[in-house]
Amino acid sequence: MDRFMTRILSVHSFRGGTGKSNLSANLAAAFAARGLRVGVFDTDLASPGIHVLFGFTAGPESHTLNDHLQGSIPIEQCSHDVTPASMAGGKGRIFLVPAAMEGDRIARLLREGYEVERLNDALFSLGQSQHLDLLIVDTHPGINEETLLTTAISDCLVMVMRPDQQDYLGTAVAIEVAQRLMVPEARLVVNKLPAHFDAEQVRARVAQSYGIPVGAILPLSDDLLTIASGSLALMDVPTHPWSTGVTQLAADLADALL
């Protein structure tokens, strides 16, 4: 497979706490349910967490993205099949490249850094070796060198925001940067929308403000708070409005990218 046949989807937010990782993991499940082979990179190396949503626990011999970026471990050995058991009989697959969870290893990476170009090379390498249809990059919030370089090679950027003033302003900055990098596709996702907000008014406001398509308006839901912290909502409550919104977003992105 030619490496450019693997599409790269970066999921980003200007601030933490938007539900970016939760959206990334559930999008991966939605794509896999469509029969796609999906890779997920946790590049939020300072505060990794997406592995929890897939129920992945690193063992003593389990390699992580840190082992590749700061060592000689091939990226393929840092990839772990986390496909939900309910999808085992289908064609879809999810391969997770987690970040190290130990405090000392996080501190070492923050202290020593790594060659950013190795991350982009790893994306292409895993896409080719695992014959992936799509790679989802769960980014570190904010704007930094790593995020900029990964965004620059992405086929699509999904910006996740909450409906508050700080996110409105910060998201505008991030989208302007993405436009300067000429990312081919972009979608805006408003997550954690309180019930007293009018979803269509919010959709109209953000569409007019940012000039990019609104991929989804996802509700804040008390009954999802426990699920969202430790498993995949698409698997546990597939008919919930949040889950159906993510499924529809995945369908839209698949049409645009694949």
Side-chain angles (χ1 to χ4, degrees):
M1 175 184 289
D2 185 275
R3 72 179 190 177
F4 296 107
M5 290 181 67
T6 300
R7 302 300 182 218
I8 298 176
L9 171 66
S10 289
V11 183
H12 186 55
S13 63
F14 188 77
R15 290 196 301 159
T18 61
K20 169 182 60 62
S21 294
N22 189 39
L23 178 62
S24 297
N26 279 275
L27 275 174
F31 285 121
R34 298 173 66 88
L36 301 178
R37 294 175 63 83
V38 185
V40 181
F41 271 65
D42 187 352
T43 66
D44 190 356
L45 299 166
S47 52
I50 197 171
H51 61 281
V52 176
L53 297 162
F54 291 109
F56 175 80
T57 302
E61 302 300 321
S62 300
H63 296 299
T64 66
L65 182 58
N66 301 58
D67 294 310
H68 177 74
L69 296 179
Q70 293 191 300
S72 59
I73 302 299
I75 192 61
E76 289 76 15
Q77 293 182 28
C78 305
S79 170
H80 308 274
D81 191 332
V82 294
T83 309
S86 59
M87 295 183 183
K91 296 170 62 177
R93 275 289 181 272
I94 304 175
F95 299 92
L96 173 66
V97 179
M101 284 71 83
E102 300 82 6
D104 59 334
R105 301 198 62 197
I106 294 173
R108 179 193 165 200
L109 185 135
L110 294 177
R111 182 176 63 251
E112 299 177 1
Y114 62 92
E115 294 180 10
V116 180
E117 292 79 5
R118 293 200 71 186
L119 175 58
N120 288 0
D121 290 342
L123 292 169
F124 291 130
S125 179
L126 190 69
Q128 182 177 21
S129 64
Q130 296 289 355
H131 304 285
L132 300 179
D133 299 294
L134 185 70
L135 270 167
I136 297 176
V137 182
D138 183 33
T139 69
H140 181 71
I143 297 176
N144 52 46
E145 182 183 6
E146 294 90 339
T147 298
L148 290 175
L149 287 178
T150 302
T151 299
I153 65 166
S154 297
D155 298 289
C156 181
L157 174 69
V158 172
M159 281 295 305
V160 189
M161 63 176 288
R162 293 174 299 184
D164 65 46
Q165 194 60 31
Q166 289 187 42
D167 266 13
Y168 278 119
L169 295 174
T171 299
V173 174
I175 288 176
E176 180 182 358
V177 170
Q179 290 172 335
R180 290 184 178 181
L181 294 173
M182 301 181 69
V183 179
E185 294 280 347
R187 297 291 187 277
L188 186 64
V189 172
V190 180
N191 196 24
K192 301 184 178 182
L193 185 74
H196 65 274
F197 278 63
D198 185 306
E200 291 311 309
Q201 287 186 0
V202 172
R203 181 184 292 273
R205 176 184 176 185
V206 297
Q208 182 178 22
S209 298
Y210 302 117
I212 65 173
V214 178
I217 305 288
L218 303 175
L220 175 66
S221 176
D222 291 338
D223 57 348
L224 277 184
L225 291 179
T226 301
I227 295 173
S229 65
S231 62
L232 297 169
L234 255 68
M235 300 291 101
D236 293 341
V237 284
T239 61
H240 190 281
W242 191 93
S243 300
T244 58
V246 174
T247 300
Q248 291 169 2
L249 173 62
D252 168 46
L253 292 171
D255 289 341
L257 295 174
L258 303 171

